[in-house]
Amino acid sequence: MNKTEMKTTTMRGRPAITDAKRQRMRNEIANIAKQLFQDEGYTTISMRRIAREMGCSPMTLYQYYNAKIDILRTLWSDVFNELFDELEVVSRTHTNMLHCLGITYVQYWLDHTEYYRLVFMTDGVNQSDVSTFIDSPELVQRFSVFALAISGSFSEKIEPEELKLKLDAFLCFLNGIAHNQITISGYSWADPDKMVAMAVSAVTD
Amino acid sequence: MNKTEMKTTTMRGRPAITDAKRQRMRNEIANIAKQLFQDEGYTTISMRRIAREMGCSPMTLYQYYNAKIDILRTLWSDVFNELFDELEVVSRTHTNMLHCLGITYVQYWLDHTEYYRLVFMTDGVNQSDVSTFIDSPELVQRFSVFALAISGSFSEKIEPEELKLKLDAFLCFLNGIAHNQITISGYSWADPDKMVAMAVSAVTD
DNA sequence: CCTTTTTATTATACGCGTATAATTTATTGA
DNA sequence: TCAATAAATTATACGCGTATAATAAAAAGG
């Protein structure tokens, strides 16, 4: 029997915050933080600063998020959902699906480098990474558009382990293209679309 | 006329530290820091702790390094040179050069994830970008082992722009493989060697 | 009303990286 | 020997993330 269930019976003491209220507060914090992170960068913005903008004390933020990094994590999922919405549109409207998916995926990050930095380049040295939420079931589910596109590009049925290899490699290649363009921006990279084309043929041949 | 040149003429005031002495001090700090970083991790170890082990005040470290991250950068630079030394050995001793180069390159980063994070995942907004380092002439020079291996894998001469495309794509793919393994560590990725093999065939076919 | 209980919120404190101010040290010219 | 000077070193201070302690707020029971 957990606390939310206890709520139904009468209880002494100040009542715990409603789930709805809690969620509204989380959203408010996330929205303010998103704006600040995008404008001035994750490391530049402090919890004290977010609190000031919220009109609360710094420690109140910890009532709604375990840590500063957790606020960022919430923003990550928003970003991914937007991206995958685009990808699903592509998967329904294009015939040479894989190539278009690749282009869309890479181009999305190149068009939103600040998001890319938010998701894949959070302060390097500590060990908290993106995988904790990439592993969330609903996101794993979303990645299946790539798997379907790959298996769809073959006439005969493809073995699961070979599909996994192709899928993983394809995702690595796409991320690598985006990542190098963004992090090594001083170097004049070859056309991303052509590199995506190479990634596609590596997976479909 | 700079300060080192001024040293030759007589000057008032406490003399600046010798280059040799400065280098000895840098080495001493680096050695202590390397041990501590390896034992307890970069984030865990503080400048105050390093100073304590050195028997000096925290701020004295800043006489020899601009920032904590610069100490790590120095350590990384050493190991990075070792990577390219390895790669050059590989390029001289193996026939299927490209595949071995790829394996070596990726495996290096997987063996030194903390250095990967340092170089490729530093928050680009607030300070030094990877490209400033990657663009340094001696490092660009080092990357040519990949270009040579690619052009060497074709019997007839390859056009420069096509070579560039293949080289850039190959580097993107390799970095992507390493990057995804490191940043999305919770996901069980396909065998890196097999993905490298796909990257190789994408470039050589 | 007032106490009791439980939760939300805020205050305080710690160690961090490091900018800047203060101090010590090593040298030269008088 | 003794100021003057310049570099090395150290002390102090700031804002940071956040753990923990203190306080305020909201409900129920007397």
Side-chain angles (χ1 to χ4, degrees), chain B residues 11-15 46-48 59 62 67-68:
Chain B
M11 282 181 66
R12 297 177 71 85
R14 180 175 176 165
S46 67
M47 293 295 269
R48 287 167 171 86
M59 290 313 292
Y62 290 84
K68 184 188 180 190

Side-chain angles (χ1 to χ4, degrees), chain B residues 2-39:
Chain B
N2 64 29
K3 282 167 187 172
T4 16
E5 287 171 317
M6 296 289 282
K7 284 285 301 302
T8 58
T9 79
T10 61
M11 282 181 66
R12 297 177 71 85
R14 180 175 176 165
I17 244 173
T18 320
D19 280 5
K21 171 68 183 169
R22 158 162 259 98
Q23 194 52 56
R24 249 183 291 123
M25 200 69 166
R26 281 178 61 94
N27 288 340
E28 196 178 344
I29 294 170
N31 287 334
I32 285 178
K34 183 174 191 177
Q35 194 61 56
L36 292 172
F37 290 168
Q38 284 176 355
D39 290 352

Side-chain angles (χ1 to χ4, degrees), chain B residues 42-197:
Chain B
Y42 175 78
T43 44
T44 306
I45 294 301
S46 67
M47 293 295 269
R48 287 167 171 86
R49 172 71 185 285
I50 297 171
R52 216 182 308 134
E53 304 276 346
M54 283 286 298
C56 67
S57 92
M59 290 313 292
T60 299
L61 300 174
Y62 290 84
Q63 186 76 222
Y64 303 95
Y65 290 95
N66 293 326
K68 184 188 180 190
I69 196 74
D70 280 344
I71 303 177
L72 192 52
R73 233 187 279 276
T74 298
L75 300 178
W76 171 83
S77 183
D78 293 345
V79 189
F80 193 90
N81 278 325
E82 282 181 5
L83 162 63
F84 275 99
D85 288 347
E86 275 187 39
L87 290 176
E88 263 155 39
V89 170
V90 166
S91 77
R92 280 195 300 272
T93 56
H94 287 76
T95 50
N96 57 342
M97 215 186 276
L98 205 51
H99 183 74
C100 291
L101 284 177
I103 300 281
T104 306
Y105 182 85
V106 169
Q107 197 56 48
Y108 168 81
W109 291 120
L110 297 183
D111 288 342
H112 303 85
T113 59
E114 74 282 10
Y115 295 114
Y116 182 89
R117 289 177 186 278
L118 169 66
V119 175
F120 291 106
M121 296 176 68
T122 40
D123 199 325
V125 178
N126 64 348
Q127 52 179 1
S128 64
D129 190 289
V130 191
S131 29
T132 60
F133 180 89
I134 297 272
D135 285 341
S136 71
E138 73 268 12
L139 191 55
V140 169
Q141 173 59 27
R142 294 278 225 163
F143 270 106
S144 64
V145 293
F146 288 108
L148 289 172
I150 290 173
S151 62
S153 70
F154 290 91
S155 50
E156 68 268 18
K157 195 173 181 306
I158 189 173
E159 289 172 36
E161 67 200 23
E162 197 184 339
L163 176 59
K164 179 179 170 48
L165 172 61
K166 288 174 183 295
L167 172 61
D168 288 0
F170 192 59
L171 293 177
C172 287
F173 294 173
L174 293 185
N175 262 7
I177 293 166
H179 184 76
N180 277 14
Q181 297 261 348
I182 290 167
T183 60
I184 313 173
S185 59
Y187 177 76
S188 173
W189 293 95
D191 181 7
D193 286 10
K194 288 179 181 169
M195 294 197 279
V196 169

